[in-house]
Amino acid sequence: MNKKTLFVAALMIGVATFLGKAQAALNLSLDDCIRLALNENPTVKIDSMELVRVDYSKREALGQLLPEVSFAGQYSRTLMKQTMYMDTGQGVAAIKMGRDNTYSASLSATIPIYVPQLWKSLKLSDTQILQNLETARASKLSLVNQVKNAYYALLLATDSKKVLMANYETSKMNADIFAKKYEIGVASEYDMLRANVAVTNLEPSIIDADNSINKLKLQLKLLMAMDASLDFNPTESLDKFKTEMYGRAMSVDTSLVNNTSLKQLDLQTDMLRQSLDVQKASWLPTVAATANLAYSSMSNGNPLDNFQWMGSSSVGVSVSIPLYQGGRRYYKQKQAEIAVREMKWQRENLTRSLNIQVQNELDNITKSMKQVEANTSGVKQAEKAHDIMQQTFKIGSGTFIQLRDTEDALMAARLSYYQSIYNYLVAESNLELVLGNAPIYKYTSK
């Protein structure tokens, strides 16, 4: 077992330990979530089983190239013998023909010598295996994309809740201060009510943030095939991904060579060409060698006595030449030829569509990076404005409304900052899905 397998095994043992007692939550990074999903998700397991099934199908086809041997045995008891009448000149004589017991046993073998249609079908089976491999890879790429987007959304919801909670605590502290000031008569009732309303207005947003976090955790648990009763917390933050995103953006390879849709289309085209070859091969003759060994015995009376076995054997060659089938083969071949030509236009259209998707995601990445830079500057300015207003408010030169405005502006700036990082990460993940270059091998156990 390698380190990755040991890690997954240890992680799943930890998960099982928590099934009966959910006091502590698991701490999972993005890589942990992807690794669990790729190793435990039922869709991935079904794809693996499908690969085994197709391999068995190929072996079944290979079996048709091997000799086919069969044994047959038969026993029959004559109840009423056939009677033959003969004219003897002196009258008619009745003669009973046959014996009471008849035994037969035969061993036959057929060996294919020239079967062009079968040989072409075997090539088709090889391509089908490749098609299933690519389908399995496509499922894994899609799963990685879903896990990443759900994880990023969870980080956005978590960081947004932190921003809301920070604003909530500040508002709550302000409300307590104004309540005390109002009691001693140094603040108006309006200021006290305004401070309380600011607290109340934030509570629904915090509840929504909690609901979003719970829903996103459930979505990730489903993708990771994790029990819903278990809890986990992300170990990363959007700020951590921000420090890495600039380097990744500069090294993006936009080649479609690994795009799974194009690869699957190319494999489908190969399968259609091979199907056309199979149709063409149906016009050719087939040749097989045959061998037969047979024994028979007949006796009267007790079926277990008086055996008289007689043997015979033969070898030969059989040739089957297809001559006419009502034009079915001809029209099947024409259909296959048209299907192959159609795939050329489908590929051209798909390539054009994928290039547009790539450009769209690149534009989203560029826009998001600019938004991150602008929002980073906006947060710094909002923090500075809030600090200035706090000092102004403490010395009595500013109003509570002005202070409240700077707090709301700071909260909005931080939320926009995290939203822009999230937008970048989702665009990057979607681009990775289109390009098909997610490093799946990093996460799958071997």
Side-chain angles (χ1 to χ4, degrees), residues 54-62 64 118-132 271 274 278:
V54 174
D55 183 58
Y56 286 148
S57 176
K58 180 188 176 183
R59 295 185 185 188
E60 176 190 1
L62 280 170
Q64 299 179 56
L118 178 57
W119 297 338
K120 298 294 183 183
S121 297
L122 289 175
K123 291 184 179 180
L124 189 61
S125 297
D126 288 336
T127 308
Q128 181 64 57
I129 291 176
L130 294 176
Q131 173 73 15
N132 280 57
M271 291 177 66
Q274 290 164 2
V278 172

Side-chain angles (χ1 to χ4, degrees), residues 33 72 81 188 221 271 281 300 313 316 319 323 381 398 412 417 432:
C33 292
K81 295 181 180 179
S188 67
K221 288 175 187 178
M271 291 177 66
N300 286 323
S313 61
V319 180
L323 296 178
Q381 293 176 12
Y417 165 74
E432 183 183 67

